[in-house]
Amino acid sequence: MFSKILIANRGEIAVRIIKTCRRMGIKTVQVYSEADAGSLAVEMADEAVLIGPAPAAQSYLLADRIVDAVRQTGAEAVHPGFGFLSENPAFARRLRDEGIAFIGPNPEAIEAMGDKITSKKFAAEAGVSTVPGHMGLIESTEEAVTIARQIGYPVMIKASAGGGGKGIRVAHSDDEMAEGFAAVKAEALNAFGDDRVFLEKFIVDPRHIEIQVLGDKHGNVVHLFERECSIQRRNQKVIEEAPSPLLDPETRAAMGAQAVALAKAVDYDSAGTVEFVAGQDKSFYFLEMNTRLQVEHPVTELITGVDLVEQMIRSAYGETLAFGQDDLKINGWAIESRIYAEDPYRGFLPSIGRLVRYSQPEEGERDNYLIRNDSGVREGDEISMFYDPMIAKLCAWGETRDAAVDGMAGALEDTHLQGLGHNVPFLSAVMDQPRFRSGQLSTAYIKDEFPDGFHGLAPARRQIDIMIAAAVAMNEVQAEQAGDPSERTDWIVLVGDQAQGVTLGYDDEEALVLDLVGEDRALTLDGIDWRPGLPQFRAVLDDEPFTAEVKRVADGWTIRHRAAQARVRVLSPRIAELYARLPEKQAADTSKLIQSPMPGLVVSVAVEPGQEVKAGETVAIIEAMKMQNILKAERDGKVKAVQARAGDPVAADDVLVEFE
Ligand code: ADP
Ligand code: ADP
Ligand code: MG
């Protein structure tokens, strides 16, 4: 076996690869950019080599630097992780020429599957069902419109070199086709340096189902069943699971057989993924093949017990697959949530910063489920604007889908991040939605369920109880610690503007008992785990444990339980009375301002003082994490002042443009 492997990646996937290497007794070398000098991966690896400044183009994407680092450390193989150089055939070939093993497929297979047009042709030849469409390149807008009419709208416009959800657009009409064709071409040239575009039928309301394959250098290929990745935003996966709630054994076998046929057709000799879109009627069509380890590979590992990174290493070393198709079985159900540094309350815009606080549930078995957490960061680390905004991948495994969903909901409840915007409340919302529970998934799920964006979920009855109980308990704990217990037993608790009277007492076991005034019900709160200053409140309410995120605000608390958040105040009846008579405070009028939705760099400002602007017109463009965000006027108006210029760094909420 190799004795030393170099990891040409960063973040959680680097950490994940190091873990397997350690288990196999293989030494690791971690390359890093200046931004990652203090990273967890660098700390965990046996050796580390600085390869350049923060921008990936000056570090992680430089094959020369990687090869130098291999030479310098005597590593025998390179694991590229995903992204960066992982699907770059020139890099794989270069390593081969230099006598260094590439832990991935052979360069010819990468090349064959490297662009969507070529891979689709290969797939069709290998007997794989492909999305109806036009297999060739399209040169002009006129040609695009003609072909789109032949295919029949809606039509998907795709960049052949596309990836990561970029370079994809749907057109429903000739006009949209003409506009979209130009847009995809431009985006593809900009993002991938390749403006080849093709068209295929847009499958309405589909599901994304992909097959994991694994091959060796001796012609053996097996599949490790499917993953469903239908919960997507901007064509990018957010929640994945295995197996898929849609498939029956026959469809699974058919998809698996097609994926294996395609892999064999290109002499595939590592871990890879064949992606399909599937109709709700279980029809399925090939999308693309990803010739690398996939972000969501842990769910497959959890249901099969196979360590895919280990298998990639063994295949790269030349070992024969130690198992055949019949040795593989699906065991239970696994779900993965991608925790991103993005603010769900602000249209999921990137929200980077320092992880001032970071705690996640411990990995391992619980009563009904198992938690795995692939993370690459520690408390105090910075999520920078240079790389992917993914913080961690939280996975839950259970015997059944319900157990796995319960596990995920609990694990998310136990996850606390502070210092940046993150999508944990959003992920929690999905876990608590009946539609997700029922497995009625589609790539339109997020659009269907959150048509106006994400604003949290209204608290359910138990969540209101949790908020009331937690606020009252925190009040008591604080008063006690201050040496000033009021001994008041009657309180009014405001959850938002809903008032609930409570009467406090203690039962024989010293648990807090809250009688709810006007309701024939009491809450029993036990095992309180909180002290002033802690951001998480843990306790057992009516025999069920919970964790809530709590924050002290001027006259009370902000409490979040899962996707529900509310302002909670504990008042004496006299103060509550006064409150009721106070006029509502007016929120500051921000309707005349265009503010930066996130920290970033001003790319351009399209307006000047005195200019009349119509609703929908572009006002400014902000760039953060390689994404350009176009800020548009929300209503007609005249520009009063412009407070930002191209090149300015801006913080979230900085005013860019003011209207009269
Ligand atoms: P796909 O949607 O094609 O299956 P994934 O969702 O697995 O791809 O990842 C999206 C894209 O972003 C891929 O090209 C992947 O290689 C890249 N990527 C994702 N996360 C990272 C990361 N942490 N570092 C580098 N590249 C990444
Ligand atoms: P990428 O390389 O960006 O991952 P894919 O071809 O895998 O590109 O497509 C990404 C996502 O876009 C898919 O997971 C699916 O949700 C959607 N998609 C792609 N092609 C189609 C299609 N023909 N019809 C409907 N949805 C599609
Ligand atoms: Mg894809």
Side-chain angles (χ1 to χ4, degrees):
M1 191 27 72
F2 301 121
S3 58
K4 197 188 268 188
I5 288 175
L6 181 140
I7 297 147
N9 211 299
R10 60 177 303 284
E12 62 85 19
I13 192 59
V15 169
R16 191 255 163 275
I17 295 166
I18 293 172
K19 284 182 185 164
T20 288
C21 290
R22 279 185 175 178
R23 200 172 46 70
M24 295 176 73
I26 301 171
K27 293 252 179 296
T28 49
V29 179
Q30 179 62 53
V31 296
Y32 64 97
S33 74
E34 282 162 10
D36 287 332
S39 71
L40 180 59
V42 168
E43 181 189 301
M44 285 176 68
D46 296 300
E47 290 171 72
V49 179
L50 176 66
I51 51 166
Q58 297 170 42
S59 49
Y60 296 106
L61 287 170
L62 291 179
D64 285 344
R65 297 281 165 84
I66 309 281
V67 170
D68 286 349
V70 169
R71 294 285 172 240
Q72 188 185 323
T73 56
E76 304 147 73
V78 172
H79 198 306
F82 40 69
F84 299 135
L85 295 168
S86 62
E87 292 178 279
N88 184 321
F91 179 64
R93 198 163 275 133
R94 164 97 186 263
L95 292 187
R96 183 163 72 187
D97 293 347
E98 305 241 5
I100 304 162
F102 176 70
I103 304 175
N106 62 77
E108 291 73 27
I110 301 179
E111 211 146 51
M113 295 294 115
D115 73 75
K116 293 186 204 286
I117 294 181
T118 320
S119 66
K120 205 172 158 180
K121 283 182 184 153
F122 257 105
E125 279 164 26
V128 176
S129 56
T130 55
V131 186
H134 183 73
M135 290 278 193
L137 281 178
I138 295 168
E139 298 301 337
S140 68
T141 309
E142 295 73 48
E143 194 189 346
V145 169
T146 312
I147 292 169
R149 284 189 186 162
Q150 284 162 7
I151 296 173
Y153 289 109
V155 164
M156 200 127 192
I157 313 164
K158 281 193 177 180
S160 187
K166 287 203 189 71
I168 288 187
R169 240 196 227 209
V170 186
H172 298 270
S173 64
D174 289 356
D175 282 350
E176 283 182 22
M177 188 66 222
E179 191 195 318
F181 180 72
V184 170
K185 244 181 146 47
E187 190 177 329
L189 188 64
N190 188 19
F192 314 109
D194 175 347
D195 73 346
R196 290 174 303 145
V197 168
F198 69 106
L199 303 182
E200 63 187 25
K201 182 93 187 152
F202 177 69
I203 312 292
V204 179
D205 208 25
R207 302 170 72 132
H208 175 114
I209 299 178
E210 57 187 34
I211 302 284
Q212 174 72 51
V213 296
L214 188 60
D216 63 19
K217 292 187 190 302
H218 311 282
N220 302 300
V221 180
V222 296
H223 71 84
L224 291 93
F225 315 106
E226 78 280 6
R227 292 181 287 259
E228 173 151 9
C229 319
S230 296
I231 309 295
Q232 303 186 346
R233 209 173 33 67
R234 299 191 203 111
N235 297 314
Q236 255 201 313
K237 302 156 187 168
V238 186
I239 297 170
E240 302 101 337
E241 60 184 285
S244 158
L246 180 75
L247 296 198
D248 50 50
E250 293 71 39
T251 315
R252 174 173 298 126
M255 290 178 85
Q258 290 199 5
V260 168
L262 176 59
K264 285 195 166 158
V266 294
D267 296 325
Y268 204 80
D269 52 356
S270 187
T273 296
V274 180
E275 296 192 331
F276 295 91
V277 276
Q280 300 292 344
D281 60 358
K282 298 182 195 162
S283 58
F284 57 89
Y285 309 95
F286 170 79
L287 271 185
E288 63 166 343
M289 180 166 185
N290 293 326
T291 54
R292 55 171 158 87
L293 190 65
Q294 200 95 337
V295 175
E296 57 275 16
H297 75 278
V299 291
T300 299
E301 299 186 324
L302 285 167
I303 62 156
T304 59
V306 173
D307 180 331
L308 288 165
V309 171
E310 175 184 342
Q311 295 307 319
M312 289 177 84
I313 294 172
R314 293 193 182 283
S315 287
Y317 190 70
E319 285 187 16
T320 304
L321 271 184
F323 43 83
Q325 193 64 56
D326 292 343
D327 300 320
L328 294 164
K329 297 273 175 309
I330 296 178
N331 173 29
W333 215 286
I335 302 185
E336 171 181 283
S337 291
R338 298 190 188 189
I339 298 178
Y340 281 117
E342 59 180 23
D343 191 341
Y345 302 103
R346 287 163 170 256
F348 296 94
L349 286 171
S351 171
I352 50 191
R354 191 170 294 283
L355 271 176
V356 177
R357 283 185 196 265
Y358 177 49
S359 65
Q360 290 209 274
E362 262 181 48
E363 292 188 308
E365 269 175 72
R366 305 290 196 276
D367 280 349
N368 280 321
Y369 57 89
L370 185 147
I371 297 298
R372 166 171 170 176
N373 189 30
D374 286 29
S375 172
V377 291
R378 299 152 300 194
E379 190 168 278
D381 283 353
E382 177 107 19
I383 306 295
S384 82
M385 60 188 280
F386 295 107
Y387 313 110
D388 196 276
M390 198 167 69
I391 299 170
K393 304 183 309 204
L394 186 59
C395 297
W397 174 92
E399 292 281 349
T400 61
R401 187 168 187 274
D402 271 336
V405 178
D406 285 341
M408 180 58 73
L412 287 166
E413 187 173 319
D414 223 9
T415 295
H416 176 69
L417 294 89
Q418 211 177 298
L420 37 71
H422 59 82
N423 64 341
V424 171
F426 172 76
L427 297 166
S428 296
V430 175
M431 293 306 139
D432 279 345
Q433 281 180 323
R435 177 171 165 197
F436 184 77
R437 264 295 160 173
S438 75
Q440 299 295 306
L441 310 183
S442 128
T443 58
Y445 186 97
I446 295 179
K447 232 183 275 157
D448 290 350
E449 298 300 314
F450 305 95
D452 307 315
F454 176 72
H455 311 288
L457 296 186
R461 182 64 244 186
R462 174 166 164 90
Q463 294 180 301
I464 294 175
D465 291 349
I466 283 174
M467 290 173 185
I468 292 172
V472 170
M474 289 191 290
N475 237 33
E476 292 291 296
V477 172
Q478 262 187 340
E480 219 162 274
Q481 290 224 337
D484 171 31
S486 72
E487 296 187 16
R488 169 177 291 286
T489 54
D490 57 324
W491 295 99
I492 306 285
V493 184
L494 294 180
V495 177
D497 51 13
Q498 291 296 312
Q500 172 66 57
V502 299
T503 311
L504 281 197
Y506 290 88
D507 70 8
D508 298 346
E509 266 99 56
E510 290 297 299
L512 195 59
V513 178
L514 291 81
D515 271 302
L516 301 179
V517 176
E519 281 189 55
D520 202 9
R521 207 155 72 84
L523 307 175
T524 306
L525 193 70
D526 206 358
I528 296 168
D529 175 8
W530 183 80
R531 56 189 158 73
L534 283 189
Q536 280 172 302
F537 180 97
R538 290 196 171 86
V540 179
L541 179 68
D542 296 338
D543 296 327
E544 261 190 74
F546 70 88
T547 304
E549 217 168 74
V550 297
K551 196 168 135 202
R552 183 89 195 137
V553 290
D555 56 350
W557 307 91
T558 299
I559 301 181
R560 177 175 73 82
H561 180 258
R562 299 195 173 182
Q565 180 167 315
R567 177 79 167 276
V568 186
R569 286 170 284 194
V570 183
L571 308 170
S572 71
R574 199 176 60 83
I575 301 285
E577 178 103 358
L578 289 176
Y579 257 86
R581 287 200 226 121
L582 281 179
E584 267 300 305
K585 232 201 260 157
Q586 292 289 313
D589 181 11
T590 54
S591 66
K592 289 182 177 148
L593 305 176
I594 300 279
Q595 290 164 290
S596 178
M598 63 199 167
L601 214 60
V602 178
V603 175
S604 62
V605 179
V607 297
E608 44 191 54
Q611 189 175 333
E612 299 278 354
V613 178
K614 290 250 172 289
E617 278 181 37
T618 298
V619 174
I621 299 178
I622 303 289
E623 185 178 281
M625 312 192 95
K626 292 176 276 175
M627 248 179 61
Q628 295 210 340
N629 295 278
I630 301 177
L631 309 180
K632 295 184 172 167
E634 276 169 21
R635 52 184 178 77
D636 299 355
K638 189 169 174 186
V639 176
K640 184 172 159 198
V642 173
Q643 307 193 0
R645 280 180 314 179
D648 286 353
V650 284
D653 291 335
D654 275 5
V655 175
L656 306 174
V657 173
E658 223 178 302
F659 286 93
E660 275 182 7

